[in-house]
Amino acid sequence: QTRSLLGVFEEDAAAISNYINQLFQAMHRIYDAQNELSAATHLTSKLLKEYEKQRFPLGGDDEVMTSTLQQFAKVIDELSSCHAVLSTQLADAMMFPITQFKERDLKEILTLKEVFQIASNDHDAAITRYSRLSKRRENEKIKAEVTEDVYTSRKKQHQTMMHYFCALNTLQYKKKIALLEPLLGYMQAQISFFKMGSENLTEQLEEFLTNIGTSVQNVRREMDCEVENMQQTIEDLEVASDPLYLPDPDPTKFPAHRNLTRKAGYLNARNKTGLVSSSWERQFYFTQGGNLMSQARGDVAGGLVMDIDNCSVMAVDCEDRRYCFQITSFDGKKSSILQAESKKDYEEWICTINNISKQIYLSENPEEIAARVNQSALEAVTPSPSFQQRHESMRPAGQSRPPAARTSSTGSLGSDSAALSSLSLDSLVAPDTPIQFDIISPVSEDLPGQAKSSGQAGRRTNPFGESGGSKSETEDSILHQLFIVRFLGSMEVKSDESPDVVYETMRQILAARAIHNVFRMTESHLLVTCDCLKLIDPQTQVTRLRFPLPNVVLYATHQENKRLFGFVLRTSGGRVESRQTSICYIFESNNEGEKICDSVGLAKQIAFHAELDRKASEKQKEIDRVKEKQQKELNKQKQIEKDLEEQSRLIAASSRSNQSSGEGQFVVLSSSQSEDSDLGEDGKKKRESEA
């Protein structure tokens, strides 16, 4: 952390140097080229206007500084029409302060940086020589020389470091003086030159310059006071840190803390280079939850060394090295031999890893529980007689793997995570979005019967259909693949079209976990089927969450760390009602991120083809129904035609049988017609109604 912060200060110093060089060139142009005075003054004004656009790594100055420089820029721009100045006044009042800052203060920073780097390298070399001290052939003279070398180099590094840091802090004040004093001298020279008859230089401007001069003096006094305080702090730190310069401090004065559940520091790791040969590499190690991480100098993040949940840790005799201990994974397939710098670190590392191995860090008060099992932690310092016996006692009955289900952590960060998300890409992640660290999802809160935590009652799910109870909803699925995953977090995202959304969400969740010291994760079994993705409790087999496969619109694994993968779930409703929202879920697996993504892709392909087959089947059924309907209509038409033919035959037969009485019919018809004519219109209507 110190070196990372130092890098920010050094980057800021480089930015200041770059900006001062530009300003120096602009002012030197004013001094050298009187004929081009107007153009040079305009360039200076432009640079002053661009000060508020500068992105210093430590942040810009306050608004007063920016407005002051803006006012200077305005006045200097008005003076750009002037083409003559007094060279002597410009040399004394304008060029001297900025040249002194450039040649003295900025070069001092570079010199201190080189001295600090040399002292750091000397300290690393001394530590390496001290680590190589022979255990079997101890030479008190050589040991004393190496110890004195470590003491001297460490003290030298600490002193140079504090002076270097003091110079970097002082630079923040000097840059203000280096900016304001040359400008103040320049304006005073201009006033003295154009005193008589100048319309641009007014009393209001003189008052402004007087205020700036007073401000510079105040900044200088504040800087002197701060430098004095820093010097006193350096002296106090030198006195207080003197016992710590020794590589192996006195254990009576600095006793080992045996109740730790987190530890960080430098260790030497043994790397085998051949059958009998090996080399040692010094790296920074730290614990993160149930993982042991390492980070080399210059790396931006640590890498996983080993999962130390239910591991074995013991002291070992290792060649010529002292303070060595060995960590062995639960299954015995992976082990690492590490060397601590001192006996205190050696004991603390063993006790800390032993506490983490028992998963004490998952409890509510880990230090109190660690104190209770302090005796068992001390026993881990000596070699265990049987690795297998030790872990058989720790292995739970009926399971081939220990339960690793961890309790959920803080839930949502609220406003803290909102401040973090404001730094992200607005095009990917919705602003003011809280990060969920627990396993509860907003999607599942409205689902009836959905178990919302591992301890809540829910339907027990057998992913392989071996139970004798009711039929599982995924029993008829073609694809069943089970993976062990650990839930890292989830948050709402704006877009679900590019894998960059998943990468940005991973970055934010990991950064939030590091910032807020959230190390606990919930382990689950991820079941991939053709219908959905399920998170199943590994102990109770209760379904925690169910994600419908059609709603999983995007999934990807990390480009470098294949243990990380995530997917985006699109669902209706969210923070705004009647609106579709997209939530990105991030998980950690056992180097199976690509396999999980391939499995999800295969499930979506199978589901897609099944949907196509279903639509084709429905279309065929619809065609069959249409054909059946047409056939029924055709049969009905044929029946009507048949009935008409039958009626025609009956009419023809009736007409032939009545040909002999045709005249009588005519008489009857005539009489009926006459009756109709006598009845009139009313009689016709009545007869028609009767008919």
Side-chain angles (χ1 to χ4, degrees):
Q1 291 176 352
T2 302
R3 290 187 179 273
S4 299
L5 186 60
L6 176 60
V8 177
F9 274 83
E10 289 176 346
E11 185 180 356
D12 183 79
I16 293 173
S17 178
N18 184 31
Y19 180 78
I20 289 298
N21 287 333
Q22 296 182 34
L23 190 60
F24 174 82
Q25 293 175 1
M27 292 185 174
H28 198 274
R29 184 178 178 183
I30 296 174
Y31 174 71
D32 289 339
Q34 295 186 7
N35 294 331
E36 298 180 0
L37 179 60
S38 179
T41 310
H42 180 72
L43 177 60
T44 305
S45 174
K46 181 179 179 181
L47 287 174
L48 295 178
K49 290 178 181 179
E50 292 179 354
Y51 176 81
E52 62 179 357
K53 300 179 182 178
Q54 298 296 318
R55 295 295 180 263
F56 296 110
L58 294 181
D61 288 329
D62 53 13
E63 296 181 357
V64 176
M65 184 68 181
T66 303
S67 61
T68 302
L69 294 180
Q70 291 293 330
Q71 185 67 22
F72 272 116
K74 180 179 179 181
V75 176
I76 295 174
D77 191 51
E78 294 175 355
L79 296 175
S80 61
S81 60
C82 299
H83 55 82
V85 294
L86 296 176
S87 300
T88 304
Q89 291 181 350
L90 289 178
D92 295 339
M94 183 180 69
M95 297 304 299
F96 177 76
I98 193 170
T99 303
Q100 190 178 27
F101 175 76
K102 180 175 177 292
E103 299 296 330
R104 184 186 66 184
D105 298 327
L106 294 181
K107 285 187 178 180
E108 180 186 5
I109 294 294
L110 296 178
T111 303
L112 288 175
K113 180 179 180 181
E114 294 176 359
V115 173
F116 170 71
Q117 187 64 38
I118 293 172
S120 179
N121 295 336
D122 292 341
H123 173 253
D124 291 343
I127 284 294
T128 303
R129 288 195 297 273
Y130 179 82
S131 300
R132 292 175 179 172
L133 283 177
S134 175
K135 179 181 178 182
R136 300 175 183 174
R137 298 171 299 178
E138 288 194 0
N139 189 328
E140 294 298 327
K141 183 179 179 180
I142 296 177
K143 182 178 179 181
E145 291 176 356
V146 174
T147 302
E148 182 65 20
D149 191 11
V150 172
Y151 174 86
T152 304
S153 61
R154 185 169 287 179
K155 184 173 183 179
K156 180 181 177 182
Q157 183 195 18
H158 195 195
Q159 291 174 343
T160 56
M161 175 181 66
M162 290 187 291
H163 287 291
Y164 183 32
F165 292 175
C166 177
L168 287 175
N169 289 330
T170 308
L171 183 64
Q172 299 302 314
Y173 295 95
K174 289 182 178 180
K175 75 173 183 181
K176 298 179 181 179
I177 298 174
L179 284 171
L180 297 177
E181 277 191 341
L183 298 174
L184 184 63
Y186 173 80
M187 295 308 302
Q188 289 174 348
Q190 291 289 347
I191 290 176
S192 63
F193 184 74
F194 297 104
K195 188 71 175 178
M196 300 301 296
S198 176
E199 297 179 358
N200 293 330
L201 304 177
T202 61
E203 295 181 358
Q204 183 180 1
L205 180 60
E206 292 181 0
E207 182 181 357
F208 169 73
L209 297 178
T210 303
N211 294 334
I212 296 301
T214 304
S215 176
V216 169
Q217 294 301 324
N218 293 335
V219 172
R220 184 180 295 277
R221 284 194 295 270
E222 185 180 353
M223 181 190 69
D224 294 338
C225 181
E226 186 69 20
V227 169
E228 183 179 356
N229 293 335
M230 286 189 290
Q231 292 293 341
Q232 184 63 38
T233 303
I234 290 175
E235 294 177 2
D236 295 341
L237 286 176
E238 286 182 351
V239 175
S241 303
D242 190 74
L244 299 177
Y245 292 143
L246 293 172
D248 196 357
D250 188 359
T252 59
K253 297 181 180 179
F254 302 95
H257 191 0
R258 303 179 182 275
N259 302 331
L260 298 174
T261 55
R262 285 192 296 174
K263 177 71 175 171
Y266 281 95
L267 295 173
N268 292 326
R270 189 180 74 168
N271 299 321
K272 290 186 177 181
T273 57
L275 295 177
V276 294
S277 60
S278 61
S279 63
W280 294 84
E281 182 181 4
R282 186 171 183 262
Q283 283 191 350
F284 186 80
Y285 285 80
F286 60 96
T287 60
Q288 188 177 65
N291 297 327
L292 179 64
M293 315 288 286
S294 69
Q295 182 173 351
R297 183 174 297 177
D299 292 348
V300 295
L304 178 66
V305 176
M306 185 183 301
D307 184 358
I308 53 179
D309 275 344
N310 297 321
C311 72
S312 172
V313 57
M314 61 188 70
V316 293
D317 289 331
C318 188
E319 297 133 8
D320 279 349
R321 298 262 176 162
R322 302 175 301 168
Y323 308 138
C324 294
F325 58 95
Q326 179 175 345
I327 308 173
T328 308
S329 61
F330 177 82
D331 53 8
K333 294 181 180 180
K334 188 174 182 180
S335 63
S336 296
I337 295 179
L338 303 172
Q339 179 197 17
E341 293 183 355
S342 63
K343 185 176 181 180
K344 175 178 177 293
D345 284 345
Y346 162 77
E347 295 179 359
E348 286 185 351
W349 271 108
I350 291 178
C351 295
T352 302
I353 295 176
N354 193 37
N355 292 337
I356 295 176
S357 173
K358 293 179 173 58
Q359 299 187 2
I360 295 176
Y361 68 96
L362 296 176
S363 59
E364 293 295 332
N365 195 344
E367 289 197 2
E368 181 180 349
I369 297 178
R372 295 177 185 174
V373 296
N374 189 17
Q375 187 62 34
S376 61
L378 289 175
E379 293 174 358
V381 177
T382 57
S384 177
S386 172
F387 174 83
Q388 188 64 27
Q389 290 177 2
R390 173 170 182 173
H391 289 284
E392 286 298 332
S393 63
M394 297 169 61
R395 188 187 303 272
Q399 288 186 358
S400 61
R401 179 177 175 87
R406 304 183 175 98
T407 58
S408 62
S409 59
T410 58
S412 173
L413 290 180
S415 61
D416 294 336
S417 63
L420 177 66
S421 64
S422 64
L423 302 175
S424 65
L425 302 177
D426 291 339
S427 60
L428 297 179
V429 178
D432 301 329
T433 300
I435 299 178
Q436 295 286 343
F437 287 150
D438 55 357
I439 200 66
I440 300 175
S441 169
V443 183
S444 64
E445 290 179 353
D446 298 332
L447 296 178
Q450 178 71 46
K452 296 188 178 181
S453 65
S454 59
Q456 187 175 350
R459 188 172 60 84
R460 190 178 298 273
T461 302
N462 190 338
F464 301 102
E466 296 175 357
S467 63
S470 60
K471 183 177 179 181
S472 174
E473 62 179 356
T474 58
E475 194 173 291
D476 56 348
S477 179
I478 301 175
L479 182 66
H480 288 81
Q481 289 193 356
L482 197 67
F483 302 94
I484 298 175
V485 297
R486 288 168 292 278
F487 180 72
L488 295 179
S490 64
M491 62 187 302
E492 184 179 337
V493 295
K494 277 188 174 182
S495 172
D496 52 15
E497 299 177 355
S498 172
D500 293 336
V501 177
V502 181
Y503 304 150
E504 175 68 14
T505 306
M506 289 178 180
R507 185 190 69 79
Q508 288 201 34
I509 289 178
L510 292 177
R513 280 181 168 270
I515 291 173
H516 299 278
N517 295 325
V518 180
F519 301 117
R520 291 181 286 184
M521 297 177 287
T522 303
E523 182 165 295
S524 305
H525 289 171
L526 178 65
L527 178 63
V528 181
T529 67
C530 300
D531 301 323
C532 63
L533 305 180
K534 283 187 177 182
L535 285 180
I536 302 173
D537 190 289
Q539 293 180 330
T540 62
Q541 295 300 310
V542 171
T543 300
R544 288 172 170 165
L545 284 180
R546 181 182 182 276
F547 305 101
L549 192 63
N551 293 355
V552 179
V553 296
L554 182 64
Y555 48 91
T557 183
H558 198 276
Q559 294 172 321
E560 297 178 358
N561 188 355
K562 302 303 180 183
R563 301 170 68 247
L564 300 177
F565 81 97
F567 61 84
V568 178
L569 186 74
R570 183 184 299 169
T571 179
S572 60
R575 292 183 299 169
V576 179
E577 295 296 334
S578 68
R579 180 179 68 88
Q580 281 196 346
T581 60
S582 299
I583 302 177
C584 185
Y585 295 83
I586 304 300
F587 296 88
E588 180 189 42
S589 64
N590 299 328
N591 292 323
E592 294 181 339
E594 292 184 350
K595 293 182 181 179
I596 297 176
C597 290
D598 294 340
S599 178
V600 175
L602 179 60
K604 291 185 75 68
Q605 288 183 3
I606 294 174
F608 176 70
H609 290 296
E611 182 68 17
L612 291 180
D613 294 341
R614 185 186 63 81
K615 290 183 178 180
S617 177
E618 291 181 355
K619 186 176 181 181
Q620 185 63 36
K621 289 180 181 179
E622 184 68 23
I623 293 174
D624 293 341
R625 285 195 296 268
V626 172
K627 287 183 179 180
E628 184 179 358
K629 185 176 181 181
Q630 291 178 352
Q631 185 66 31
K632 287 182 179 181
E633 293 291 338
L634 183 60
N635 293 338
K636 186 176 181 181
Q637 186 68 25
K638 288 181 179 181
Q639 184 65 31
I640 293 173
E641 292 178 355
K642 185 177 179 180
D643 293 342
L644 291 176
E645 290 179 359
E646 184 68 23
Q647 290 179 4
S648 300
R649 286 196 300 270
L650 290 176
I651 293 172
S654 177
S655 61
R656 286 194 301 270
S657 64
N658 293 330
Q659 281 180 358
S660 59
S661 59
E663 186 177 354
Q665 281 183 343
F666 177 76
V667 174
V668 173
L669 290 173
S670 300
S671 63
S672 64
Q673 289 177 358
S674 62
E675 290 176 359
D676 291 341
S677 62
D678 294 336
L679 291 174
E681 291 296 328
D682 295 335
K684 289 181 180 180
K685 291 181 179 180
K686 184 177 181 181
R687 290 178 61 91
E688 288 177 358
S689 63
E690 290 176 356

